[in-house]
Amino acid sequence: MKDLSEIKQCPRQFVLAINDTLNVLSGKWKLPIIASLLYGKKRYKEIQGNIENITPRMLSKELKELELNGVVIRKVYDTTPVRIEYSLTASGKDILKVLDAMVDWGVEHRKSAIA
Amino acid sequence: MKDLSEIKQCPRQFVLAINDTLNVLSGKWKLPIIASLLYGKKRYKEIQGNIENITPRMLSKELKELELNGVVIRKVYDTTPVRIEYSLTASGKDILKVLDAMVDWGVEHRKSAIA
DNA sequence: AAAGTAGATATACTAAAGTATAGTAATATT
DNA sequence: AATATTACTATACTTTAGTATATCTACTTT
């Protein structure tokens, strides 16, 4: 998703904020990657092993994007061979709050859908 | 997005709940539509007038999906000519809580991105 | 020296999401 | 009678997201 500017009657900064959040969460792989890193820093192959069926192309593409968006940190250790560790930024960890709100809504919504 | 089942180490029902929420929010038009209905029930043409550049195809497709997902109610008035009103279900209105969490995260994230 | 691992990139492709444009049925307005 | 409005649907197309498969460099292990 790129643009939510179609929403009117709502402060622009709020629209931008929601937009940012949705950009960080949407797509097939960003959330699994964030989830994997919520349990601590990981190396490329560890994340890959954690997430079933993700291709290396998708994993590096998404990690790059998450890094660019200030959600993930890529740390290169100057050893031989190089060791690369991915972790969440403070913001990245804070997404848990959003996920909590989403869990709450989703659970309640399922209840009311049955009723 | 269809499937987030790649996330491990997290209760399945939570994954499903997040999945549901993301399905209701992601895509280019669902949020603008929900936002438009947060200000009260509206007719098709009103929503269309509210949201710049949405095509009738997208609007009816998305409304149908939101209705199917228990977020929107479509009420047909038996007048001549028929009058159709769209509104949010209780669940639909509750999405505001998720949006609030998203606004909070987005705003904080922008702050820390600047710093 | 050959095979394997870490951390990717390149190229080509398919599938899903979204756009453009036209058209429909039923009624209302002039 | 002609035009406009509401609430859409149909068809074709483009764009974006995701998949499949092969390859690369630098190093380690056997």
Side-chain angles (χ1 to χ4, degrees), chain A residues 1 4 6 8-9 18 20-22 27 29 31 39 52 69-70 91 95 98 102-103 105 109-110 112, chain B residues 1 4 6 8-9 18 20-22 27 29 31 39 52 69-70 91 95 98 102-103 105 109-110 112:
Chain A
M1 180 170 317
L4 238 55
E6 288 80 9
K8 301 288 168 193
Q9 311 151 299
I18 292 178
D20 286 357
T21 312
L22 227 38
W29 302 112
L31 217 62
Y39 298 91
E52 246 176 272
N69 289 336
S91 272
I95 291 174
V98 179
M102 290 174 69
V103 166
W105 184 84
H109 181 62
R110 287 204 159 219
S112 69
Chain B
M1 180 171 315
L4 241 50
E6 287 80 9
K8 301 287 169 193
Q9 311 148 303
I18 292 177
D20 286 356
T21 312
L22 228 38
W29 302 112
L31 215 64
Y39 297 91
E52 245 176 273
N69 288 337
S91 272
I95 290 174
V98 179
M102 290 175 69
V103 166
W105 185 84
H109 181 62
R110 289 206 157 215
S112 68

Side-chain angles (χ1 to χ4, degrees), chain A residues 40-46 73-87:
Chain A
K41 60 188 177 193
K42 294 230 168 69
R43 300 177 64 179
Y44 186 91
K45 285 284 166 182
E46 289 178 294
I73 295 162
R74 183 178 185 268
K75 195 170 176 186
V76 182
Y77 289 88
D78 196 12
T79 54
T80 53
V82 281
R83 174 193 184 78
I84 290 160
E85 266 177 11
Y86 292 94
S87 56

